[in-house]
Amino acid sequence: MATPDSPDGPTPEELAKQRRYLRALLLAFERSETLLGEIHACETVRDAEVLLSERLGVDEDAASYVLAMQLRSFPRAQRRKVQARVDALEDSGA
């Protein structure tokens, strides 16, 4: 997510945001069987965001990110890539 003002790469804030979103996604993967049914029962996207925020213990921005990623379409290999990215971000201290 480099910007014209940061040609060397993402800022520490951008990396922290990325890590927060990916952690939320990993939590959703772990609970996908129950979460998918609950999400489908929601009347609105806003209801689903609030539900995910509460169930996963994440902020609503991260919950919105999880919804946008369409959790059910992720194969296991993609989940491993997400975990590897989270691990790399944590190892870098971001």
Side-chain angles (χ1 to χ4, degrees), residues 1 13-30 56 58-59 61-67 69 71 74 78-90 92 94:
M1 288 193 230
E13 293 82 14
E14 290 169 330
L15 290 172
K17 181 179 177 180
Q18 187 178 89
R19 185 180 68 224
R20 193 174 77 245
Y21 285 6
L22 293 175
R23 281 184 180 162
L25 190 56
L26 289 174
L27 286 170
F29 285 150
E30 292 170 6
L56 300 177
V58 300
D59 63 39
D61 287 339
S64 180
Y65 176 82
V66 169
L67 283 177
M69 296 305 294
L71 185 63
F74 270 72
Q78 188 64 28
R79 294 175 190 186
R80 286 191 292 271
K81 287 180 185 178
V82 170
Q83 180 65 60
R85 180 65 181 142
V86 169
D87 292 345
L89 286 168
E90 289 176 349
S92 73

Side-chain angles (χ1 to χ4, degrees), residues 24-40 52 56 66 70-74 76 79:
L25 190 56
L26 289 174
L27 286 170
F29 285 150
E30 292 170 6
R31 302 174 188 164
S32 62
E33 289 182 28
T34 56
L35 285 177
L36 289 175
E38 292 178 341
I39 290 168
H40 288 295
L52 283 176
L56 300 177
V66 169
Q70 299 183 7
L71 185 63
R72 69 174 167 251
S73 65
F74 270 72
R76 287 192 192 277
R79 294 175 190 186

